[in-house]
Amino acid sequence: MPEPREEVKPSPATVEVRKDETARLYEALIDGEVVGTLAYETTGGRFSLTHSYVDHDRRHQGIASAMARYALEDLRRDHTRIGIYCGFVADYVEAHPDFKDAVDINRSAFIATHTARDTSRGH
């Protein structure tokens, strides 16, 4: 009887994150394709991370975490406190307490939102 084959999962693709200041988005790309976004707003010189989205077929691959880390590191360089209104980013900060000194999290202010990418695909 042949031995059972071990399932080999493909290695995760390299995630590139960039900031699009015109659209006020951090974008995650794999092979040049945008697969996730993290939106931000600026009010009175304060930055707030408002909501994130990752394509359904790309979830649970570390893409949202890559965007959260990139955005938090980028905004922390400006020495400004960051408002967190995105539940995923709030959870990320809880799991990575080295960012807690740079953020203000108010979970009661979270609101459900949809990005253009969400609604354009009918999800």
Side-chain angles (χ1 to χ4, degrees):
M1 175 174 253
E3 290 186 33
R5 288 184 151 180
E6 183 179 323
E7 182 180 336
V8 178
K9 292 183 180 181
S11 62
T14 302
V15 178
E16 173 192 348
V17 180
R18 68 181 178 200
K19 184 178 183 180
D20 180 340
E21 292 184 22
T22 303
R24 294 188 316 268
L25 292 173
Y26 289 93
E27 298 176 321
L29 298 96
I30 294 179
D31 296 328
E33 177 187 352
V34 175
V35 296
T37 57
L38 174 55
Y40 68 90
E41 296 292 332
T42 58
T43 306
R46 178 185 168 101
F47 282 83
S48 297
L49 298 171
T50 59
H51 59 276
S52 59
Y53 176 82
V54 174
D55 289 348
H56 289 281
D57 61 336
R58 297 289 191 160
R59 293 185 179 172
H60 309 289
Q61 298 177 23
I63 294 167
S65 293
M67 287 189 299
R69 176 169 289 284
Y70 184 97
L72 291 165
E73 288 174 348
D74 179 56
L75 296 174
R76 184 164 62 179
R77 279 191 291 272
D78 292 336
H79 305 292
T80 184
R81 301 244 345 136
I82 306 158
I84 306 296
Y85 297 93
C86 171
F88 180 86
V89 177
D91 291 344
Y92 183 88
V93 170
E94 291 297 322
H96 299 86
D98 51 310
F99 288 110
K100 282 189 176 185
D101 66 328
V103 302
D104 290 322
I105 298 174
N106 183 348
R107 289 186 183 271
S108 66
F110 291 173
I111 55 174
T113 59
H114 292 282
T115 66
R117 292 173 63 81
D118 285 328
T119 56
S120 69
R121 293 184 179 192
H123 297 206

